[in-house]
Short mmCIF file of all heavy atoms in Angstrom, two decimals:
data_model
loop_
_atom_site.label_atom_id
_atom_site.label_comp_id
_atom_site.label_asym_id
_atom_site.label_seq_id
_atom_site.Cartn_x
_atom_site.Cartn_y
_atom_site.Cartn_z
N GLY A 28 5.59 -6.20 -15.24
CA GLY A 28 5.20 -4.85 -14.85
C GLY A 28 5.61 -3.84 -15.90
O GLY A 28 6.05 -4.17 -17.01
N GLU A 29 5.49 -2.58 -15.54
CA GLU A 29 5.88 -1.48 -16.47
C GLU A 29 7.36 -1.53 -16.78
O GLU A 29 8.13 -2.00 -15.97
CB GLU A 29 5.58 -0.14 -15.81
CG GLU A 29 4.20 0.41 -16.09
CD GLU A 29 3.96 1.69 -15.33
OE1 GLU A 29 4.72 2.65 -15.59
OE2 GLU A 29 3.06 1.71 -14.49
N THR A 30 7.71 -0.97 -17.94
CA THR A 30 9.10 -0.89 -18.28
C THR A 30 9.74 0.36 -17.75
O THR A 30 9.22 1.46 -17.98
CB THR A 30 9.25 -0.90 -19.83
OG1 THR A 30 8.66 -2.10 -20.27
CG2 THR A 30 10.73 -0.91 -20.26
N LEU A 31 10.84 0.19 -17.02
CA LEU A 31 11.55 1.34 -16.44
C LEU A 31 12.75 1.58 -17.33
O LEU A 31 13.56 0.69 -17.54
CB LEU A 31 12.00 0.96 -15.04
CG LEU A 31 12.77 1.95 -14.22
CD1 LEU A 31 11.91 3.17 -13.88
CD2 LEU A 31 13.25 1.29 -12.91
N THR A 32 12.79 2.81 -17.87
CA THR A 32 13.98 3.16 -18.64
C THR A 32 15.03 3.80 -17.73
O THR A 32 14.75 4.77 -17.06
CB THR A 32 13.57 4.17 -19.76
OG1 THR A 32 12.55 3.55 -20.53
CG2 THR A 32 14.76 4.48 -20.67
N VAL A 33 16.20 3.23 -17.70
CA VAL A 33 17.23 3.72 -16.78
C VAL A 33 18.13 4.68 -17.55
O VAL A 33 18.79 4.32 -18.50
CB VAL A 33 18.07 2.57 -16.20
CG1 VAL A 33 19.01 3.07 -15.12
CG2 VAL A 33 17.18 1.46 -15.68
N ARG A 34 18.15 5.94 -17.09
CA ARG A 34 18.98 6.92 -17.74
C ARG A 34 20.11 7.36 -16.80
O ARG A 34 19.94 7.42 -15.58
CB ARG A 34 18.17 8.17 -18.04
CG ARG A 34 17.04 7.92 -19.04
CD ARG A 34 16.26 9.21 -19.30
NE ARG A 34 14.96 8.89 -19.91
CZ ARG A 34 14.77 8.52 -21.14
NH1 ARG A 34 15.81 8.47 -21.98
NH2 ARG A 34 13.56 8.27 -21.58
N SER A 35 21.24 7.70 -17.41
CA SER A 35 22.36 8.18 -16.60
C SER A 35 22.20 9.63 -16.29
O SER A 35 21.91 10.44 -17.20
CB SER A 35 23.68 7.96 -17.35
OG SER A 35 24.74 8.60 -16.63
N PRO A 36 22.38 10.03 -15.03
CA PRO A 36 22.30 11.50 -14.73
C PRO A 36 23.42 12.27 -15.40
O PRO A 36 23.34 13.50 -15.47
CB PRO A 36 22.48 11.55 -13.20
CG PRO A 36 22.54 10.14 -12.71
CD PRO A 36 22.70 9.22 -13.87
N ILE A 37 24.42 11.56 -15.92
CA ILE A 37 25.54 12.26 -16.54
C ILE A 37 25.10 13.05 -17.78
O ILE A 37 25.39 14.24 -17.91
CB ILE A 37 26.66 11.26 -16.90
CG1 ILE A 37 27.17 10.57 -15.63
CG2 ILE A 37 27.79 11.98 -17.63
CD1 ILE A 37 28.21 9.48 -15.90
N ASP A 38 24.34 12.38 -18.64
CA ASP A 38 23.94 13.00 -19.90
C ASP A 38 22.51 12.67 -20.32
O ASP A 38 22.12 12.97 -21.44
CB ASP A 38 24.91 12.60 -21.01
CG ASP A 38 24.96 11.10 -21.22
OD1 ASP A 38 24.19 10.38 -20.51
OD2 ASP A 38 25.78 10.62 -22.01
N GLY A 39 21.78 12.01 -19.41
CA GLY A 39 20.42 11.68 -19.75
C GLY A 39 20.30 10.49 -20.71
O GLY A 39 19.23 10.11 -21.09
N GLY A 40 21.45 9.93 -21.07
CA GLY A 40 21.40 8.81 -22.05
C GLY A 40 20.82 7.56 -21.44
O GLY A 40 21.03 7.28 -20.23
N THR A 41 20.15 6.73 -22.28
CA THR A 41 19.57 5.49 -21.79
C THR A 41 20.67 4.42 -21.62
O THR A 41 21.50 4.24 -22.52
CB THR A 41 18.53 4.98 -22.80
OG1 THR A 41 17.51 5.99 -22.90
CG2 THR A 41 17.92 3.68 -22.37
N ILE A 42 20.70 3.80 -20.42
CA ILE A 42 21.67 2.72 -20.20
C ILE A 42 21.05 1.37 -20.48
O ILE A 42 21.63 0.50 -21.13
CB ILE A 42 22.13 2.72 -18.72
CG1 ILE A 42 22.51 4.15 -18.25
CG2 ILE A 42 23.35 1.80 -18.54
CD1 ILE A 42 22.76 4.25 -16.76
N ALA A 43 19.82 1.16 -20.01
CA ALA A 43 19.16 -0.15 -20.15
C ALA A 43 17.70 0.00 -19.74
O ALA A 43 17.30 1.10 -19.28
CB ALA A 43 19.84 -1.16 -19.26
N THR A 44 16.92 -1.04 -19.84
CA THR A 44 15.59 -1.00 -19.32
C THR A 44 15.42 -2.15 -18.31
O THR A 44 16.14 -3.17 -18.37
CB THR A 44 14.50 -1.16 -20.41
OG1 THR A 44 14.66 -2.49 -21.01
CG2 THR A 44 14.59 -0.12 -21.48
N VAL A 45 14.44 -1.99 -17.41
CA VAL A 45 14.11 -3.00 -16.42
C VAL A 45 12.61 -3.23 -16.52
O VAL A 45 11.84 -2.23 -16.46
CB VAL A 45 14.52 -2.53 -15.01
CG1 VAL A 45 14.06 -3.56 -13.97
CG2 VAL A 45 16.01 -2.32 -14.88
N THR A 46 12.18 -4.43 -16.57
CA THR A 46 10.74 -4.73 -16.52
C THR A 46 10.40 -4.92 -15.05
O THR A 46 10.92 -5.83 -14.36
CB THR A 46 10.42 -6.02 -17.30
OG1 THR A 46 11.00 -5.90 -18.58
CG2 THR A 46 8.91 -6.20 -17.42
N MET A 47 9.59 -4.02 -14.54
CA MET A 47 9.40 -3.97 -13.08
C MET A 47 8.53 -5.11 -12.57
O MET A 47 7.80 -5.77 -13.30
CB MET A 47 8.74 -2.63 -12.71
CG MET A 47 9.76 -1.45 -12.81
SD MET A 47 9.22 -0.05 -11.87
CE MET A 47 8.02 0.68 -12.96
#
Side-chain angles (χ1 to χ4, degrees):
E29 269 178 60
T30 301
L31 179 67
T32 303
V33 188
R34 295 179 200 285
S35 172
I37 299 176
D38 58 4
T41 299
I42 312 170
T44 63
V45 175
T46 310
M47 287 199 281

